[in-house]
């Protein structure tokens, strides 16, 4: 009796996003009771990914693909995604307005062919990109070199390399492209004691940004004052807590919203004002009263732009620095000549992705310190909107969560939480 040809399914390259055709295993073992999709007897890992071939609105640009990962080799890890935050930068990547995209996939010829590959893979298809820069992963399988480096099944990991492409249920990465989460942090997050998997997944962008902003742009000694707008953002909340831990004092600007001032004061903010108060005549005198007049405010942090950024800049003492790390209002910062000539205010920018590429050791050290603070409950997690991603979850629900990234008035930061994948 002639053998029936095996059906073909799409398969993702080990380290990134190219698609190729590979045989579908004929045997499909019963799923694990807690994880419906695991590594099959042939070593393949079923995966679902959000990806796009050309930039545009998420509703039309993003597609949901089912594919599989081959067995690991060399220093590769197979990683199951536990949680993946949704950041404005990810949205901008899909739109095509972000200044960088994930790197192209490696050539397929670099993959050794195992006995389970019954045909040569087709060349990578260009233009397919998986968005997402943050996630917390669980190790499902280790290549020999990764195991020799100390990686084990069940370890947790965070991305060290920008553009890993985290909006997928699983992926493969070189063990040098991820940071192992300490067992104590992993166990605490798994139990929900002190931290959580969603907080750990968000450690590589917002807390890291807040840490470097307060450490790298001004000599702020204990008792020194700094000021920020969008203080209720994820970066803002982290900065408030870090500043309090380091003995710094803060003035925080927010949009008017019931209960928000009290919430930030509870995190350690010294002063919380709304946007309207900052623009009132006499606000500068109020600042002098808070700071004692002599030291003034030595550092300003801006992620809004436009009039909000200018209001912060006008509050700074002579010789101080305003650092811009975002532009939520999408308005330019127009700087009066008087701030440059008479007050010598310094204007700088910060892009955490670029900083991490140029300072890999400092990035890892900072992340380890942030994770330790999370474990010790010294860095509280902000509001979170958990978006369940199960194997059966459809494209519409996932894309709807992506579209909500840029909407105001949300109940918290959106995070994909993977269940049964």
């Amino acid at each position: 009796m002639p053998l029936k040809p095996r059906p073909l399914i799409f398969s993702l390259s080990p380290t990134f996003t190219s698609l190729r055709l590979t045989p579908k295993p004929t045997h499909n073992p019963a799923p694990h009771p807690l994880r419906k999709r695991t590594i099959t007897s042939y070593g393949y890992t079923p995966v679902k990914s959000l990806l796009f071939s050309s930039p545009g609105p998420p509703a039309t640009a993003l597609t949901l693909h089912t594919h599989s990962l081959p067995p690991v080799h060399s220093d590769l890890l197979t990683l199951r995604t536990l949680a993946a935050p949704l950041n404005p930068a990810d949205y901008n990547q899909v739109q095509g307005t972000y200044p960088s995209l994930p790197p192209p996939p490696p050539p397929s010829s670099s993959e050794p062919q195992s006995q389970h590959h019954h045909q040569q893979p087709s060349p990578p298809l260009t233009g397919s990109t998986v968005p997402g820069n943050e996630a917390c992963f669980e190790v499902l399988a280790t290549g020999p070199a990764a195991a020799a480096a100390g990686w084990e099944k069940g370890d947790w990991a965070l991305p060290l390399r920008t553009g890993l492409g985290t909006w997928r249920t699983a992926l493969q990465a070189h063990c040098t492209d991820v940071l192992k989460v300490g067992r104590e942090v992993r166990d605490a997050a798994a139990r929900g004691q002190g931290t959580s998997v969603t907080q750990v997944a968000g450690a590589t962008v917002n807390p890291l940004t807040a840490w470097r902003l307060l450490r790298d742009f001004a000599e702020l000694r204990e008792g020194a004052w700094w000021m920020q707008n969008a203080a209720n953002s994820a970066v803002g909340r982290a900065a408030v807590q870090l500043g309090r831990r380091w003995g710094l004092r803060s003035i925080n600007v927010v949009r008017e919203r019931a209960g928000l001032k009290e919430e930030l004061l509870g995190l350690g903010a010294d002063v919380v004002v709304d946007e309207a108060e900052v623009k009132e005549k006499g606000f500068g005198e109020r600042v002098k009263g808070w700071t004692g007049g002599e030291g003034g405010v030595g550092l300003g942090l801006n992620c809004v732009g436009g009039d909000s950024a200018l209001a912060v800049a006008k509050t700074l003492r002579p010789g101080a620095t305003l650092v811009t790390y975002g532009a939520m209002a999408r308005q330019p910062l127009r700087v009066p000549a008087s701030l440059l000539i008479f007050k010598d205010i310094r204007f700088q920018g910060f892009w955490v992705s670029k900083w991490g590429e140029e300072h890999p050791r400092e990035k890892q050290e900072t992340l380890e310190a942030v994770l330790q603070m999370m474990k010790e409950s010294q860095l509280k997690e902000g509001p979170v909107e958990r978006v369940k991603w199960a194997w059966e979850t459809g494209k519409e629900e996932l894309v709807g969560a992506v579209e909500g990234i840029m909407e105001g008035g949300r109940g918290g930061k959106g995070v994909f939480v993977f269940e049964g994948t």
Side-chain angles (χ1 to χ4, degrees):
M1 182 176 180
L3 295 176
K4 294 182 179 180
R6 293 181 178 180
L8 299 178
I9 61 171
F10 281 112
S11 171
L12 206 65
S13 70
T15 55
F16 211 64
T17 57
S18 65
L19 297 174
R20 61 169 64 97
L21 295 174
T22 55
K24 180 179 180 180
T26 56
H27 174 61
N28 186 19
H32 188 282
L34 296 180
R35 259 179 231 143
K36 295 183 179 179
R37 300 295 184 271
T38 56
I39 298 176
T40 70
S41 59
Y42 285 108
Y44 290 88
T45 304
V47 183
K48 283 192 176 182
S49 301
L50 277 178
L51 52 82
F52 64 98
S53 297
S54 58
T60 55
L62 289 173
T63 57
L64 184 61
H65 277 277
T66 303
H67 40 81
S68 64
L69 299 173
V72 289
H73 60 86
S74 62
D75 68 339
L76 289 176
L77 300 169
T78 297
L79 303 169
R80 184 174 83 95
T81 314
L82 301 176
L86 308 172
N87 292 309
D90 304 323
Y91 186 96
N92 292 336
Q93 273 192 343
V94 177
Q95 280 187 316
T97 58
Y98 201 68
S100 70
L101 285 175
S108 61
S109 59
S110 66
E111 288 180 44
Q113 297 302 303
S114 76
Q115 60 181 339
H116 304 303
H117 288 155
H118 299 279
Q119 67 176 50
Q120 290 291 327
S122 59
L125 300 176
T126 59
S128 295
T129 300
V130 179
N133 283 293
E134 285 192 294
C136 179
F137 305 111
E138 178 189 14
V139 175
L140 294 182
T142 62
W151 288 90
E152 299 177 359
K153 182 179 179 180
D155 285 340
W156 280 16
L158 298 177
L160 278 178
R161 177 170 66 79
T162 301
L164 203 57
T166 60
W167 291 359
R168 43 182 162 174
T169 60
L171 69 150
Q172 288 179 343
H174 298 286
C175 64
T176 52
D177 286 337
V178 291
L179 171 70
K180 185 186 294 186
V181 176
R183 290 184 181 274
E184 291 185 356
V185 178
R186 179 198 67 183
D187 294 344
R191 294 191 301 265
Q193 296 178 351
T195 184
S196 66
V197 65
T198 54
Q199 187 182 31
V200 171
T204 58
V205 173
N206 295 315
L208 183 65
T209 297
W211 190 298
R212 301 322 314 179
L213 287 172
L214 291 177
R215 285 303 199 200
D216 295 346
F217 292 93
E219 292 287 341
L220 297 178
R221 298 180 179 179
E222 188 172 351
W225 285 82
W226 61 280
M227 183 175 179
Q228 66 172 340
N229 55 24
N232 61 309
S233 66
V235 172
R237 290 171 182 269
V240 166
Q241 297 175 77
L242 290 172
R244 171 60 68 179
R245 177 179 173 85
W246 297 332
L248 306 178
R249 309 195 67 182
S250 62
I251 301 173
N252 302 272
V253 185
V254 297
R255 291 180 179 177
E256 181 62 37
R257 197 173 77 194
L260 188 53
K261 291 184 178 181
E262 292 74 17
E263 187 178 348
L264 292 176
L265 290 170
L267 292 177
D270 292 281
V271 177
V272 184
V273 295
D274 60 46
E275 293 276 4
E277 290 180 82
V278 177
K279 298 174 183 178
E280 290 176 354
K281 185 177 181 180
F283 181 74
E285 293 302 315
R286 293 176 64 188
V287 172
K288 289 181 181 179
W290 295 325
T291 63
E294 294 184 3
V297 180
L299 176 68
L301 306 180
N302 164 49
C303 78
V304 178
D307 293 340
S308 177
L310 183 58
V312 174
K314 289 180 176 179
T315 306
L316 302 179
R317 63 167 172 77
T321 299
L322 180 77
V323 186
T324 294
Y325 66 96
M328 294 170 58
R330 300 184 181 182
Q331 296 176 357
L333 173 57
R334 293 183 172 87
V335 181
S338 59
L339 292 182
L340 300 171
I341 298 172
F342 304 119
K343 294 189 70 175
D344 191 25
I345 302 297
R346 317 296 171 83
F347 293 84
Q348 292 187 253
F350 181 71
W351 185 17
V352 70
S353 299
K354 183 66 173 178
W355 177 88
E357 292 174 1
E358 296 175 347
H359 304 84
R361 180 175 296 180
E362 288 182 74
K363 178 179 181 178
Q364 181 169 334
E365 292 173 351
T366 306
L367 279 175
E368 289 171 346
V370 165
L371 290 172
Q372 184 65 23
M373 288 185 64
M374 289 179 176
K375 182 183 78 70
E376 297 173 355
S377 301
Q378 296 178 358
L379 201 58
K380 296 181 180 179
E381 185 176 17
V384 171
E385 282 191 355
R386 299 166 63 95
V387 181
K388 180 180 177 180
W389 185 333
W391 189 257
E392 300 81 10
T393 304
K395 170 193 168 183
E396 292 75 16
E397 185 175 348
L398 300 176
V399 171
V402 174
E403 291 180 315
I405 294 175
M406 307 302 284
E407 294 177 0
R410 294 180 295 119
K413 182 179 179 62
V415 181
F416 286 134
V417 178
F418 297 78
E419 299 180 12
T421 57

